[in-house]
Amino acid sequence: MERHGKLLERLQEAKWGVLEIIVLATALAFSIGVFSSLAMEWLSNRSVAIVSLACALICLIYIALRHTRDRKLTANIDSVFIIDGDNKMVAIADYDASQDVAGYFEGAFAENPALRRQWEREPLESMHQRVEGRNYVRSVASTKLIREVYEYAVLEDLTTHLTGYFNGYAGRDEDLRTYERNDLPDVLLANRFLELFSRDMADRDAFRSDDEPSDGGRVIMQTGPGGYFHRFELTLPKGSVLKREGNSTLVISGPAFQMKISVQFRGMGSNVPLDHIMHYVGVDPLEVRDFNVRIVVQVLVRRSFIFGGRRWNDHMWVDSLVESLVERFSLERHLVRINWPALAAMLHCLDVRDRRTNSPSF
């Protein structure tokens, strides 16, 4: 997992560092100017003044570019999911991404049997094909479902995180914009999990007609028998838009930065420890299949915002969002959270003790 700390906080510090250098450089230039005033009287030439000003501007531009060259953040978050012998998702305890994805699959398959048929008709094993001695990976219905469900899980975390961040917002409401389902372009609603789970409950058989509150309020989230509903509401700083780039990349573009979030799934196995599958998940590693999904987050902050932006608090959620995605999706973070290295060492010691106890003595 590749990360580079808190990007916005680092750039804010760089901004003040550049201003500090400019102030000191100005004071130094003034002092030098006092001592060189006599020489300038002798060389009262306009071209000399122009050259001096150009040199000063070049120095200032160099300082600004040098201190803000690191405007990018890249986070490669490796997640994992497990499929059992019945081709069902296995939820891993205390691993948010695993539990969420398993729940989304269960809800979508219960409400839309066509998705279940696609999952079963073209399972993940069918994506690997061998032709004339060469191995090929092709896109099948199940791989598309995996990308879509992980993209939806990322969107859920994005909307929830931003709602919590801006609930305590101290700025003006007119500086924000909330996007709802009707504001989304068709390319985003092409995600079948987003389209299904955000659809009005009145249009879905999984919910009763009296599920809507009678006091005129709005239901944000509802779980029914065989159905899941979550009202889509995404709050962003004014001027920011959510769009899609290609088949598997979400883009948030605005006056301060551009963020790209992509879901990469190539059918590769994960590096989840076998002992973790056996003892923690509670299944036989030989009877399940584990797969890796990589979520790539890329952020590029605009220089025009670094030196001209005034509402930094409108955008500081970027750093905490990346941390939230790591906390919820990263297998590495899950293993650290449950203190797996210590648990694995203890299990190993118990296994060695049992083998010694049960071994025949001569």
Side-chain angles (χ1 to χ4, degrees), residues 72-91:
K72 298 179 181 179
L73 177 147
T74 300
N76 296 321
I77 307 170
D78 288 314
S79 188
V80 63
F81 67 91
I82 298 176
I83 303 294
D84 65 15
D86 296 326
N87 207 28
K88 295 181 180 180
M89 283 276 184
V90 178

Side-chain angles (χ1 to χ4, degrees), residues 234-250:
L234 175 63
T235 302
L236 289 172
K238 192 174 182 179
S240 301
V241 295
L242 173 66
K243 57 186 179 180
R244 183 185 297 282
E245 182 180 278
N247 295 325
S248 58
T249 301
L250 299 172

Side-chain angles (χ1 to χ4, degrees), residues 71-351:
R71 299 178 294 124
K72 298 179 181 179
L73 177 147
T74 300
N76 296 321
I77 307 170
D78 288 314
S79 188
V80 63
F81 67 91
I82 298 176
I83 303 294
D84 65 15
D86 296 326
N87 207 28
K88 295 181 180 180
M89 283 276 184
V90 178
I92 303 175
D94 199 31
Y95 188 6
D96 292 338
S98 173
Q99 294 178 311
D100 290 344
V101 167
Y104 297 149
F105 260 98
E106 182 180 355
F109 288 173
E111 192 169 355
N112 189 348
L115 296 180
R116 183 190 297 275
R117 288 195 297 271
Q118 293 179 32
W119 174 257
E120 295 175 348
R121 185 175 63 249
E122 296 184 14
L124 293 175
E125 306 89 69
S126 63
M127 67 185 298
H128 297 283
Q129 192 175 28
R130 188 173 180 84
V131 179
E132 297 180 353
R134 286 187 166 185
N135 294 322
Y136 294 90
V137 178
R138 61 192 184 101
S139 180
V140 296
S142 55
T143 60
K144 187 177 181 182
L145 285 169
I146 289 295
R147 292 191 186 98
E148 288 184 27
V149 74
Y150 267 88
E151 181 182 87
Y152 178 74
V154 169
L155 278 170
E156 283 278 272
D157 194 58
L158 173 65
T159 56
T160 302
H161 186 84
L162 285 172
T163 297
Y165 181 88
F166 286 116
N167 273 345
Y169 181 65
R172 301 178 303 174
D173 291 341
E174 54 265 32
D175 293 333
L176 305 176
R177 180 182 174 184
T178 298
Y179 293 85
E180 298 187 358
R181 175 188 166 93
N182 294 336
D183 301 316
L184 296 179
D186 293 339
V187 291
L188 284 175
L189 288 176
N191 184 309
R192 289 166 290 181
F193 292 88
L194 174 60
E195 195 282 329
L196 175 62
F197 293 151
S198 64
R199 193 189 306 164
D200 197 321
M201 290 189 292
D203 299 330
R204 299 163 62 183
D205 293 336
F207 299 94
R208 304 185 307 272
S209 58
D210 59 349
D211 282 332
E212 288 285 356
S214 58
D215 58 359
R218 296 202 310 169
V219 175
I220 301 300
M221 182 181 296
Q222 177 82 22
T223 302
Y228 173 76
F229 168 78
H230 192 180
R231 187 180 301 277
F232 184 87
E233 291 184 342
L234 175 63
T235 302
L236 289 172
K238 192 174 182 179
S240 301
V241 295
L242 173 66
K243 57 186 179 180
R244 183 185 297 282
E245 182 180 278
N247 295 325
S248 58
T249 301
L250 299 172
V251 180
I252 299 177
S253 182
F257 62 87
Q258 182 183 77
M259 172 185 286
K260 293 185 178 182
I261 305 176
S262 60
V263 176
Q264 300 176 359
F265 176 63
R266 299 183 175 89
M268 304 297 293
S270 73
N271 59 350
V272 58
L274 294 180
D275 286 348
H276 178 274
I277 296 177
M278 178 182 297
H279 297 290
Y280 188 85
V281 182
V283 294
D284 188 342
L286 299 178
E287 296 180 355
V288 298
R289 293 157 292 151
D290 54 287
F291 295 91
N292 175 264
V293 176
R294 171 165 286 186
I295 299 167
V296 180
V297 183
Q298 297 174 304
V299 182
L300 175 64
V301 180
R302 308 185 194 281
R303 281 198 174 95
S304 58
F305 170 74
I306 297 175
F307 295 106
R310 292 175 296 174
R311 296 191 299 270
W312 280 75
N313 286 338
D314 292 2
H315 309 280
M316 296 299 287
W317 54 266
V318 171
D319 293 328
S320 55
L321 172 65
V322 174
E323 181 61 27
S324 175
L325 291 174
V326 171
E327 187 69 25
R328 294 177 63 83
F329 286 88
S330 169
L331 170 65
E332 176 185 341
R333 186 63 63 88
H334 161 69
L335 295 177
V336 170
R337 186 166 54 249
I338 65 173
N339 199 16
W340 176 250
L343 291 175
M346 182 181 67
L347 290 170
H348 174 72
C349 293
L350 292 174
D351 182 56

